[in-house]
Every structure is written in C-alpha cells, then in structure tokens.
Amino acid sequence: MTLTLYGGARSRASMPRWYLEERGMPYAWVQLDMAAGEHRGEAFRAINPFAKVPALVHDDPSLPGGRLQLFESGAILLYLAELSGQESQSAADRAQAAQWVLFANATLATALFVPSSREREFGPLMTVLDQRLADGRPLVGDAWGVADCAVEAYLAYLPVFFPDLDLSAWPAVVRRIADVQSRPAYRRVMG
C-alpha cells in the first residue's frame, strides 16, 4: 500500500498532510511548483483533471484496478479517516465528522477567504465556534480526529493569513489555535 499526496506550498494539501502525520500513516509527499505551473502539466492532470491541489494517489492491489485517485481536501480527509482505523466506527459519528469537514471546506473557508462573506459571516461563525470549542473537547467523539483536523486547520490559518485580525472576542478559538500550533505533527507540516 502506497499513499502519495500531491500539494503546493500554502495550499489545502496541508490538511490531509497534517492528518497523515497525526495518525503516523506512511506517505510520500510531492510538492508541486505551483508558480511554475507544474499542477497544470499532463502528468498531474492525469491525477486531477481540474489541475488543483491537493490530490491523493493510493496504490494498493486490493483496490479496483490497484489504484484510487482522489482530489478535494475534504474527500481526501474522509478517505484517510477510514483508512486510519482510528476514527469512530459508528455511522452517526462518521456523519458528524463529514458534517464538520464539509462545514470547514465550504462554510468556514468562504467566511475566511471571500471578503464579502468575511464581512457578513465571520463574526457570527466565530461566536458559534467559540461556544462549541469552549469545553476543549474534540468536535466528534472522545479523541482528536478528522473533524478537528478540518476545522482547526482553517482556524490555524487565521494568524498566518490575517496576522492583524483581533480574535480576542473568541477566547476558546484563540486557545484552540495555540493548541494546534503546539502539536508536533502540525509543526512538522506547517513549520
């Protein structure tokens, strides 16, 4: 079994890469030179025809055709969660994890990175997240998992992409960002 993750510097590939590191799953990391357009080349388009990162290739003889190719960070995260065997096995927990991964990639990402949405949605979303994170518990189940990875990755982007943003109104979010930044696996991926 071989997992190969393709990404670029400061891309959404950091989420599945962080998950792989947290879970101790062996993988190969291929950093594409996005500025040079490496992601638009024929070789990478054979993996992701949309020429976007991240992408994951899982070579395993037990898979149909011996290979699975995935794009979209959320899909990759959910697949890795299944592969890891370290996530909850209940359908309800898997559904809640998927809910948080989809929330992170659709709702939270839009509120952070789309200026018009940030003006309207950022404050209300952060207030709800702050309340949800106040108890310090994982988003799903009893241990850190794929839901936490997805949401926390975006929260940890805040000081990187918006260093002047005042987060003091959301102390639980600030604590969670500090916790994320101190995790060894996160530090290996993000530096």
Side-chain angles (χ1 to χ4, degrees), residues 105-138:
N105 282 352
T107 306
L108 186 57
T110 300
L112 297 181
F113 293 110
V114 176
S116 61
S117 294
R118 188 169 49 246
E119 291 171 18
R120 289 187 321 274
E121 298 176 23
F122 183 76
L125 281 177
M126 296 306 284
T127 298
V128 173
L129 273 175
D130 195 70
Q131 292 165 356
R132 176 59 183 84
L133 299 174
D135 64 6
R137 296 184 43 74

Side-chain angles (χ1 to χ4, degrees), residues 13-22 27 29 183-191:
S14 62
M15 286 184 279
R17 190 170 176 211
W18 176 29
Y19 187 85
L20 287 161
E21 289 287 333
E22 285 283 350
Y27 70 99
W29 166 244
R183 293 180 78 96
Y186 181 84
R187 293 175 67 79
R188 281 193 299 276
V189 170
M190 299 302 286

